[in-house]
Amino acid sequence: MNKELLREVAAVFGTEPLSGKDLYAKVLVHPDDSIAVYFINAGLLSEQLQRRGYVWQEHLHAWVKHVPTIDHARLETEGCRVTAAAFGL
């Protein structure tokens, strides 16, 4: 995993743990260095997220979309509570 990319994502989105029943997003760096945006508790936005290319992942209970860059993840999560899942830092 690209530790520099992981640190950059953590710096942009912070690493404050978020939870609860309100909508929030997580930005993750996967082992293959791809970036993914996860929307949690987004039931009310499911149709909108589906139109924007998100896929429901039952085992994660989240809407997920892989994005090409950190800037793209920032645009996807604009206006939402968001955190980075900085595993391995």
Side-chain angles (χ1 to χ4, degrees), residues 6-83:
L6 190 59
R7 281 191 281 277
E8 190 176 346
V9 166
V12 169
F13 297 102
T15 58
E16 177 186 342
L18 298 177
S19 62
K21 295 183 180 185
D22 294 331
L23 170 70
Y24 64 96
K26 284 187 178 183
V27 177
L28 285 83
V29 177
H30 287 245
D32 66 356
D33 296 332
S34 63
I35 300 168
V37 176
Y38 290 64
F39 275 96
I40 314 296
N41 301 325
L44 295 176
L45 298 177
S46 60
E47 288 182 28
Q48 179 185 1
L49 291 171
Q50 199 170 14
R51 283 193 303 271
R52 289 173 41 197
Y54 284 80
V55 176
W56 175 250
Q57 298 289 318
E58 182 66 38
H59 65 289
L60 299 170
H61 300 285
W63 287 93
V64 180
K65 179 179 181 181
H66 285 81
V67 295
T69 65
I70 293 171
D71 286 336
H72 195 113
R74 189 178 309 158
L75 289 172
E76 290 288 331
T77 59
E78 192 171 31
C80 292
R81 294 185 319 142
V82 63
T83 190

